[in-house]
Amino acid sequence: MIINLLKTKAKQFLFKRVLIVAVLFFIQAASAVEHTSIAPGSKGTFRGRPTVNAIRVEMPPEVNGVLDDEVWKLAKPAGEFLQKSPQQNVPHSQRTEFRVLYDDNAIYVAVWCFDDTPSAIIAKNMQRDEYMRSEDIVNITLDTFLDRRNGYFFSVNSLSARGDSSISNNTSVNSEWDGAWVARCKKQVWGWAAEVEIPFKSISFDENNSTWGINVYRNIGRYGERGQWANSRSVNKSFNVSECGDLLGLYGLKQGLGLDINPYIVGTYQKDYDKNDSDLLGDFGFDVRYRLTPSLTALASVNTDFAQTEVDERQLNLTRFPLFFPEKRQFFLEDSGIFGFGGAESTSRRSSDSSSTLLIPFFSRRIGLSSDGEVDPIQFAGKITGRVKSYNIGFLDAVVESKEGTRNVFVGRVSKNIFEQSSVGFLSTLGDPNSDEMNALAGMDFQFRSSDMFGGRNFRFNTYALASYVEENDSLEPAWNISSSLEDRNIDLSASITEIGEEFDPAMGFVRRRGNRRYAAELDLTPYHDNLNWLRNTRHGYDAEMYTDLGNNLINTQQKFDLATLYLESQDIIGLSVSHITDKPSESFSISDGTTIPADNYEWWGLNLRGYLGMHRRAFFGPFYSIDGYYGGLRHQFGLESYFTPWPNLKFGGKIEKNLIELENSEKLDITISRLEFNYNFTPDFIFSNMLQYDNITESLGVNSRLQLEYKPGAKMFLVVNQGYLDERTGLVMKEFEVVTKIGALFRF
């Protein structure tokens, strides 16, 4: 009896304790999720510029993602975002608020991402600059000169993974810009919090300007629901600086001396197994960055090293034109938007295929790489980039050491801002990194952009004219382009004409085809299906390209009929398209495996099916299949791109592509290329990544492994291992082996 009574009392006492803890927990949670009223001028807009005030503080918040510092209460919040996708001009389904503080050293942004189901928050990634668009993320855009054209873009998810970019001319996004900044994010009982610290020494701004532009974007991953604070329309990207609201109250800002010094040391061990030869090398160098003015920066690199640069992804070339490999070296990518020319990158929002790249007058990848792809050491590289009043300025000079001797190359770019978002400019290159002969290029361009044309649509008009000079030919050869596009929520229309001279040959540019004209047009229709609970929207389109010689004689045509691309409510995408191609090469050519395609008149049709399944889930699958003709024969192309993220630290997957081709002469080809990736993040700043690539043409396996630690903002250490294997009858045999260690530091004044 007494024992039962004691048990009952104990249970009652335990129940009371649990009840008290639960009550305290819910009181704390309730206080945490208490929404703050938003001033009318700080509420999100469909059109227009809301405002938010930044508050100066003596004691900054502790950046830890908790948001419990008392100083945050000093700032008035902004919020009440509007959806931009899948719906427009309706409230975001989950509430978002943000506040801004600053002190002598940095600007601080805190974002409260309220969520009624915190367990459903999607966070798959911890790696810097990785694809996070399908996750729960926050993007912060800053227009630090309030010029509505240039700025910075910061992105975070709930695991504190970071992405950042510099923005030029409102459309050119340079994701290789890596600023020194801090972000800490945490899941809470009320949703998740993002807390960001951006040092003033990491960005350029006008010290005398008390107003910046700011925009904050949030994606709710499980719904694919995108919302934005200012100008939240579907055609406006979150990096469009022209659509920012106003950040007020920034007084007494200082950048300090504006001097950054990045010294590094590097050690390399290389072994060639065929030659039975090995080398142990050591070197050092440094980068110096100095702000000549708040908006003009000088950067000098002595003994420039790119040992930590990611390797290129292998590509198959089944055409008669050269492949395009993007620039990946950070020195050349920083402020690269300044050197952008002609606005061609903004003509179409669908042309992500590198095969559409026809002409780039300045392509920095030409510097430091020989014509056969070997690395040529860069003894010195310097550049001045930035803005002086309404002018955008970029000058680059490099001294390259080649087998034939030392060569100097120069690039200059100046453009003037006109109207609200437009510009007119000049570009010149001088020198040839692979020859002692004189090579020069000069050209002018005009870029017009408006986000409020023809009833609020985005409109672009671009044109340029170029001329190249090659000493061997002793003549000027022209190239020119006219292009325009019109875009809104339901329609995307673009057209362009490009002409490239027969001998047009800029030594520091990329030209896919010469001696031709290209006429291109594209029309996309995107209806939304609000009455269907399984289908969000569809896209139907038509693309056409026609190439002629300079006498307007037809060479080849390409047409694509996008019958239907389905954007499902599950956020999966399935697309079906039909293509029609004609081609009449004037001479035979060879493809990747050495097979020769004879000159003739060819015509064929094709059918393509592609899916993107699970982009917001832990397992992603991207299957694709096409059947089409191929220069008188038949080709089946199929493959799969897939990634699996069992937990946020780990991601692995890859891609395989197979081409089965039966040529007109009954010869059969089997061409396969594959890539495997394995990435592990110990923390968002400590990364171990691996890439394995194999193709059955070279029968070689390449392995690239990188261990990267950012031990303090802007200071990094690397350990890189490269291995090369050849597939022989006895199995894979190692042919090359390389180990590179690099330690860098950052000193700021």
Side-chain angles (χ1 to χ4, degrees), residues 361-364 366-368 396-400 406-412 428-442 467-471 505-509:
F362 169 56
F363 182 43
S364 59
R366 299 295 189 209
I367 303 174
L396 185 151
D397 189 85
V399 179
V400 182
T406 301
R407 299 186 175 113
N408 182 254
V409 294
F410 171 82
V411 183
S428 177
T429 69
L430 187 64
D432 186 343
N434 294 310
S435 172
D436 292 324
E437 291 190 351
M438 175 67 171
N439 187 289
L441 173 136
S468 71
Y469 173 82
V470 181
E471 183 178 358
D505 188 18
M508 286 190 286

Side-chain angles (χ1 to χ4, degrees), residues 6-21:
L6 289 174
K7 287 183 177 180
T8 301
K9 292 291 185 181
K11 289 180 180 179
Q12 291 175 347
F13 177 75
L14 181 61
F15 175 76
K16 289 179 180 179
R17 290 288 300 273
V18 171
L19 182 63
I20 291 172
V21 170

Side-chain angles (χ1 to χ4, degrees), residues 114-175:
F114 297 101
D115 199 309
D116 54 23
T117 314
S119 60
I121 292 171
I122 295 176
K124 304 191 301 177
N125 173 64
M126 291 179 65
Q127 188 169 338
R128 186 164 186 171
D129 290 331
E130 190 70 6
Y131 180 86
M132 297 191 296
R133 190 166 181 258
S134 59
E135 304 179 37
D136 280 79
I137 60 170
V138 163
N139 297 338
I140 301 168
T141 304
L142 294 179
D143 177 4
T144 56
F145 288 95
L146 202 68
D147 61 4
R148 309 299 184 191
R149 301 166 182 270
N150 308 288
Y152 300 92
F153 177 82
F154 305 90
S155 182
V156 295
N157 70 3
S158 63
L159 297 171
S160 302
R162 294 177 296 155
D164 50 7
S165 304
S166 61
I167 305 167
S168 298
N169 202 28
N170 202 43
T171 54
S172 178
V173 181
N174 175 17
S175 60

Side-chain angles (χ1 to χ4, degrees), residues 215-234:
N215 214 346
V216 179
Y217 159 103
R218 179 186 175 188
N219 181 55
I220 302 172
R222 64 185 180 277
Y223 302 141
E225 183 183 299
R226 299 170 176 85
Q228 192 165 287
W229 180 56
N231 287 293
S232 186
R233 292 179 289 145
S234 61

Side-chain angles (χ1 to χ4, degrees), residues 57-75:
V57 295
E58 296 300 322
M59 182 66 67
E62 180 183 355
V63 180
N64 55 16
V66 179
L67 304 184
D68 59 353
D69 297 82
E70 289 295 318
V71 291
W72 284 119
K73 296 180 181 178
L74 300 176

